[in-house]
Amino acid sequence: MSESTALDNFLEKWRSRWPEWQLVQGFVPEPQRRIAVAWFALLQELADAMNIAGDPLPADAKLAWWGEELRDWARHRSRHPLGRVLEPVQAPWALLADALPALSLMRGLPQEADAALPLVAPLANAIAQVEAGLFPGARRRSALPELSAQLLFTRWMEVPPHADAPRWREALLAHWPARVGGPRPRRVLATLMRLRLQHLHADGQGSTPSKPLKLVWTTWRAAAGGS
């Protein structure tokens, strides 16, 4: 498999999980779109490593590999295909590597969302700082509670707490306003995620898709909310 094909496979894997992106990607400046998809694909790869079921050793080994890889990006060396897009951008990759242990903590979340949010705050902080490097010019950085809520939702999508789905949904939404901060790609994705959370089924298994007109309108408002 060629390097280009491997990269495209990772990008397409993320797009397949977020087909809504196709409708709203035009709200992201064209020069940022490929970087945005590569970045979100990287975050998905990290989440997938954390979500490996059963024996945690393979997941821990994969996260350790990613830590080494991200530290190499800080030295402008990369092995993973996503690094071909992301590594040349000046961003605090080593800080993200140091925050990866928070993903291991997310395998055993407390029963209360308010107790889980502090566990992912270091990772949320690292993500916010990397995004400030990837997408310069945002008027304000993502607030940590709302970004932490988004991270918890990515975990929830894979292993939902079925009995507590309505309570967790309301708890996460309480920390996740409709108008979020951060660069435009983050605001667009956060809006897509929040719509899924709002429409989450009562048993926590999947969500009702938003109507395209509402999705586009809501995302446009979020994209227009800052530089």
Side-chain angles (χ1 to χ4, degrees):
M1 180 185 298
S2 70
E3 185 175 290
S4 176
T5 300
L7 172 60
D8 288 342
N9 286 345
F10 280 105
L11 301 182
E12 189 54 39
K13 181 171 138 182
W14 181 81
R15 290 190 186 99
S16 69
R17 295 195 184 191
W18 291 96
E20 306 99 311
W21 184 262
Q22 183 69 23
L23 286 175
V24 301
Q25 63 181 345
F27 298 140
V28 175
E30 196 279 333
Q32 294 183 353
R33 289 176 200 166
R34 187 168 177 82
I35 292 175
V37 174
W39 167 239
F40 296 144
L42 170 63
L43 293 180
Q44 187 65 62
E45 289 301 308
L46 297 177
D48 286 350
M50 175 264 297
N51 285 326
I52 294 175
D55 185 355
L57 290 180
D60 290 341
K62 191 167 186 179
L63 286 176
W65 183 91
W66 270 114
E68 295 177 4
E69 175 73 358
L70 290 169
R71 290 185 181 90
D72 280 343
W73 289 11
R75 295 184 284 267
H76 296 291
R77 298 197 300 264
S78 62
R79 291 167 288 175
H80 197 278
L82 291 171
R84 304 300 183 263
V85 179
L86 297 172
E87 173 264 300
V89 182
Q90 190 70 29
W93 301 115
L95 180 66
L96 180 59
D98 291 340
L100 291 185
L103 287 168
S104 297
L105 296 177
M106 288 170 67
R107 293 198 198 105
L109 293 175
Q111 292 186 352
E112 299 295 331
D114 286 346
L117 286 166
L119 298 179
V120 297
L123 181 59
N125 176 62
I127 288 173
Q129 294 200 46
V130 170
E131 290 184 349
L134 293 175
F135 314 112
R139 292 176 185 171
R140 60 190 179 95
R141 186 172 295 175
S142 298
L144 293 190
E146 64 193 35
L147 193 48
S148 296
Q150 294 166 41
L151 289 174
L152 287 179
F153 182 53
T154 62
R155 171 61 171 164
W156 198 12
M157 290 169 64
E158 300 296 331
V159 188
H162 307 294
D164 296 330
R167 184 164 54 86
W168 268 73
R169 177 179 59 202
E170 296 309 312
L172 293 181
L173 288 174
H175 295 280
W176 187 345
R179 305 280 305 266
V180 299
R184 187 173 296 183
R186 168 56 57 184
R187 299 198 306 271
V188 169
L189 180 61
T191 301
L192 300 182
M193 295 172 67
R194 194 175 192 276
L195 286 170
R196 283 196 186 184
L197 178 59
Q198 285 178 308
H199 299 151
L200 191 74
H201 297 160
D203 62 358
Q205 293 278 27
S207 60
T208 303
S210 298
K211 294 182 178 180
L213 184 60
K214 178 182 179 180
L215 188 150
V216 171
W217 169 251
T218 306
T219 308
W220 174 81
R221 291 187 63 195
S227 61

